[in-house]
Amino acid sequence: MSSPSYDDTGVEYYGIASFKFVSGPPTDIRIAYRCINPSAQKTVCIPTCFGGRINTTLSFTGSDEALHNHRVIVVAMLGNGESSSPSNHPDFPKDIDYRDCVNAQYQLLTKHLRIKELEAVVGFSMGGQQAYYWACMYPKFMKYVIPICSSAKTSLHNYAFLEGPKAALTNSIDYEDGAYRTKDIKPTRGLRAFGRTYCAWALSAHWFRERQFERLGFSNVEDFITSNWEDAFETWGPEDLLILAKMWQAGDIGKTHADGDYLRALEDIEAKVLVMPSRTDTYFPPEDSEVELQHLKHGELAVMETIWGHMAGGGVNEDDTIWMSDRIAKFIGARNSLVGGLKATSLE
């Protein structure tokens, strides 16, 4: 996490009239997105993650990266503050579903951008869960699906973890059980408590033991928590964080399947799936990915051997990013191995 001022470089918007949510009445919405390499022939969609904005999303489009010759559409999921969200839409639903996000993204791609097929859907964390939903809801629309540090169904442990930051925000004195909205104030203490509670989960014990925060320019762990996590979440809309956290907790591709069984939904996925967990991810552990792989017809598992925990999948550590880019390139046949100047960990 970091807390730069908002970067709207290249961000565009598409309006959808009377969008039908899974729950709630039809509502006009808008979808924020950015198109990178617009003249490329093959197209990849990358939905944002929790805490992510369009221009903080890892796109693998650098000159030496896996998707440098692809048209990449980075799409802000509903609720993230860029697309329609509680913070910018007075009639936004109280709850949203990953199916809402994917249906809105499908309309953006097909009706506005006139895209007929995708080479891949790639996503980190909540973006990876959206990628799984894409594979289930529009099975013939893409060739590859690449969930990074993610899962097809949110585990009970993951659900319980999210209850902590949610409670820190909603029980803060300045949140006032939601009454802050009628007083035109921002629950700053609650937002900062959300970030402080979240921090340790995102990185591994090994990472803290080795004082890796010093590599990021922080002299001690308190400075890291305050400046990197509290400051970052203070910039968010409180209800945006809460609605996204609830959607994350309810993540389950079984909802796209007739019998509600997420394992059967995995079995029905036609796309080729590259599952990339981090060895030290505390809430999307590789053991969950191994279960998923057993039910995928065309699945491949690539575990990042890293101490950077969940955050490894978000591009915060250059070695991990090089490794991910190399595996993606090999998986979709984009080009030869990228691993070069920096040492990248491999299972091979």
Side-chain angles (χ1 to χ4, degrees):
M1 297 293 296
S2 59
S3 54
S5 58
Y6 178 66
D7 178 9
D8 65 356
T9 304
V11 176
E12 300 180 70
Y13 300 91
Y14 172 60
I16 303 175
S18 298
F19 178 78
K20 295 181 180 179
F21 286 89
V22 172
S23 301
T27 307
D28 294 349
I29 64 168
R30 72 174 190 174
I31 300 298
Y33 69 97
R34 182 179 183 181
C35 183
I36 304 170
N37 302 330
S39 62
Q41 293 185 340
K42 295 180 179 179
T43 303
V44 174
C45 178
I46 303 181
T48 56
C49 66
F50 187 86
R53 306 293 195 191
I54 288 172
N55 284 317
T56 64
T57 297
L58 186 61
S59 66
F60 300 103
T61 53
S63 60
D64 61 346
E65 293 184 311
L67 304 179
H68 77 286
N69 60 354
H70 287 69
R71 180 189 190 189
V72 173
I73 313 296
V74 181
V75 187
M77 65 177 158
L78 292 168
N80 92 319
E82 293 174 301
S83 291
S84 289
S85 308
S87 63
N88 60 31
H89 193 310
D91 298 319
F92 200 74
K94 293 182 179 180
D95 295 290
I96 54 175
D97 186 284
Y98 278 127
R99 289 169 289 180
D100 297 321
C101 295
V102 172
N103 281 329
Q105 291 162 19
Y106 182 77
Q107 289 194 43
L108 165 71
L109 296 179
T110 58
K111 294 184 177 182
H112 180 55
L113 299 177
R114 305 297 180 186
I115 294 170
K116 296 182 179 179
E117 65 176 2
L118 291 171
E119 181 75 358
V121 181
V122 180
F124 161 61
S125 193
M126 285 186 78
Q129 292 194 309
Q130 290 168 82
Y132 263 128
Y133 271 75
W134 261 103
C136 296
M137 294 170 63
Y138 299 100
K140 298 185 182 299
F141 198 69
M142 79 296 295
K143 297 177 183 177
Y144 306 101
V145 171
I146 304 175
I148 302 169
C149 297
S150 192
S151 68
K153 180 178 180 179
T154 300
S155 70
L156 295 177
H157 181 249
N158 198 333
Y159 180 99
F161 140 61
L162 288 166
E163 284 297 291
K166 284 171 56 185
L169 171 55
T170 59
N171 287 287
S172 66
I173 191 170
D174 51 359
Y175 186 80
E176 294 190 66
D177 293 326
Y180 77 92
R181 286 170 287 191
T182 63
K183 300 180 180 180
D184 196 28
I185 62 172
K186 190 170 186 176
T188 300
R189 289 178 63 174
L191 289 167
R192 297 185 72 84
F194 188 102
R196 179 170 285 267
T197 308
Y198 198 115
C199 173
W201 284 90
L203 297 148
S204 74
H206 191 169
W207 188 91
F208 281 96
R209 186 163 56 249
E210 291 194 358
R211 303 179 66 85
Q212 290 291 316
F213 50 82
E214 293 177 351
R215 285 183 53 188
L216 302 178
F218 300 99
S219 59
N220 57 63
V221 71
E222 180 60 30
D223 286 345
F224 170 67
I225 295 171
T226 301
S227 300
N228 200 64
W229 288 87
E230 291 189 0
D231 287 358
F233 278 111
E234 187 180 341
T235 67
W236 277 75
E239 304 309 316
D240 293 354
L241 290 175
L242 293 172
I243 203 168
L244 289 180
K246 287 192 289 184
M247 179 165 63
W248 177 354
Q249 288 177 309
D252 179 358
I253 62 169
K255 295 176 182 178
T256 70
H257 202 267
D259 64 4
D261 188 333
Y262 93 101
L263 296 178
R264 290 185 183 274
L266 284 169
E267 292 167 358
D268 286 347
I269 291 176
E270 295 294 334
K272 296 178 180 177
V273 184
L274 174 62
V275 185
M276 286 204 294
S278 159
R279 179 68 67 190
T280 51
D281 195 329
T282 54
Y283 44 92
F284 289 113
E287 292 82 4
D288 290 350
S289 299
E290 291 169 2
V291 172
E292 293 173 358
L293 197 72
Q294 295 172 13
H295 297 272
L296 290 168
K297 287 183 288 192
H298 312 292
E300 180 178 323
L301 179 67
V303 182
M304 280 183 280
E305 301 295 345
T306 176
I307 67 170
W308 283 73
H310 182 67
M311 297 305 294
V316 295
N317 179 42
E318 190 173 9
D319 286 7
D320 295 327
T321 301
I322 290 173
W323 184 88
M324 286 187 290
S325 187
D326 182 60
R327 295 307 294 248
I328 292 171
K330 290 177 181 178
F331 187 68
I332 66 176
R335 60 193 178 84
N336 294 328
S337 174
L338 294 167
V339 177
L342 289 174
K343 182 180 178 182
T345 307
S346 173
L347 296 180
E348 300 172 346

